[in-house]
Amino acid sequence: MQKIVHRAADRGSSDHGWLQSKFSFSFADWYEPRRMGYGTLRVINDDTIAPRGKFDMHSHEDFEITTIPLAGAVTHQDSMGNKGVVSAGEVQTMSAGTGVTHSEENASPTDTLRLFQIWIEPREKGMVPRYAQRAFAPSARRDRWQLLVSADGSGGSLPIYQDARIARADIGLSDTLTYSKFYKHNGVYLLVIEGEVEVVGESLHRRDAIGVAGLDTVEVTALTDAQMLLFEVPL
């Protein structure tokens, strides 16, 4: 078993006034050679966006991009013709493939938007761009893993071009939850959204993360009520 612990305090950061970001892995002007990603998981950005804050039109290609709003709502539009609002409780995926131009804006003139943006490398380049979005009930992740993203869209999850999975769970104090890998050779990267948990002997607090490889199952014990995001990705 191999493990790597990433503490919240060691993340990169940027402050553009309207946008404040924390970077789990090297991104933009923050370069840390020891944190270039975890396998095909390349970006986890923890963004706080001021009312009406906006990312103007910009382009991406050959990334599987997932957006998970935690509070507030984001307005999205892109060159595929998609336009709409993604609210807290929903998840959005966009396969950039051969190239997509898009923009995002805090949909509210008064409320702060908080979200995670996640980039995973695809299994091959030059795929056809696509977009998906849906709501996920919080009750369906209480003391269990709720599958948000997968390669085949199983269980109502959103599809991406990679043998990877993203799952979310809320767990109560002293409860234990086990994650069983879907792909034998993948690794697991777990991020604590809120609360405190113990994983393979490590105590993790809010926004701490751990990567675990070489185990078929990963057991998580809640030291407080906690919310977690889990990534199963090729290494």
Side-chain angles (χ1 to χ4, degrees):
M1 186 268 289
Q2 302 86 41
K3 65 181 177 181
I4 183 168
V5 177
H6 290 154
R7 297 296 177 187
D10 297 329
R11 295 180 297 171
S13 64
S14 68
D15 186 346
H16 297 282
W18 65 273
L19 169 66
Q20 298 181 36
S21 298
K22 294 290 187 180
F23 308 133
S24 291
F25 307 117
S26 294
F27 189 84
D29 293 332
W30 185 64
Y31 175 70
E32 170 50 71
R34 294 170 298 178
R35 293 182 73 159
M36 297 302 295
Y38 185 76
T40 56
L41 176 60
R42 182 61 186 83
V43 169
I44 306 176
N45 288 354
D46 184 359
D47 291 342
T48 300
I49 302 169
R52 292 302 188 203
K54 183 178 182 180
F55 295 94
D56 291 324
M57 278 289 185
H58 59 287
S59 297
H60 294 294
E61 60 183 42
D62 292 324
F63 271 111
E64 303 299 304
I65 300 170
T66 299
T67 301
I68 304 176
L70 301 177
V74 57
T75 300
H76 169 93
Q77 60 178 330
D78 62 47
S79 54
M80 293 182 283
N82 301 296
K83 186 174 183 179
V85 176
V86 186
S87 301
E90 294 183 290
V91 177
Q92 173 206 74
T93 56
M94 186 174 67
S95 297
T98 53
V100 172
T101 301
H102 67 114
S103 70
E104 279 78 34
E105 180 180 4
N106 185 340
S108 173
T110 57
D111 298 330
T112 297
L113 169 63
R114 293 189 297 113
L115 58 80
F116 287 122
Q117 186 170 105
I118 297 137
W119 297 6
I120 293 174
E121 297 172 359
R123 71 173 70 90
E124 59 183 287
K125 295 183 177 182
M127 303 299 285
V128 176
R130 62 184 178 184
Y131 177 95
Q133 172 186 342
R134 65 159 290 195
F136 291 85
S139 59
R141 61 175 176 264
R142 183 63 185 175
D143 290 321
R144 56 180 166 166
W145 294 107
Q146 180 184 52
L147 186 62
L148 306 178
V149 173
S150 70
D152 58 3
S154 60
S157 59
L158 303 179
I160 61 171
Y161 295 120
Q162 182 55 278
D163 294 332
R165 292 188 155 207
I166 301 176
R168 188 172 175 179
D170 298 341
I171 186 172
L173 170 65
S174 300
D175 290 341
T176 296
L177 193 58
T178 299
Y179 181 82
S180 298
K181 287 193 308 185
F182 192 78
Y183 299 99
K184 179 177 177 60
H185 298 294
N186 280 3
V188 170
Y189 192 84
L190 183 138
L191 171 72
V192 181
I193 301 173
E194 300 287 349
E196 183 179 358
V197 303
E198 183 176 309
V199 184
V200 292
E202 299 287 346
S203 178
L204 305 174
H205 298 78
R206 181 182 187 273
R207 298 315 203 257
D208 287 347
I210 187 169
V212 180
L215 294 178
D216 292 332
T217 61
V218 177
E219 191 172 272
V220 183
T221 300
L223 304 179
T224 68
D225 289 352
Q227 302 172 31
M228 302 168 293
L229 199 57
L230 181 144
F231 308 87
E232 181 190 333
V233 293
L235 298 176

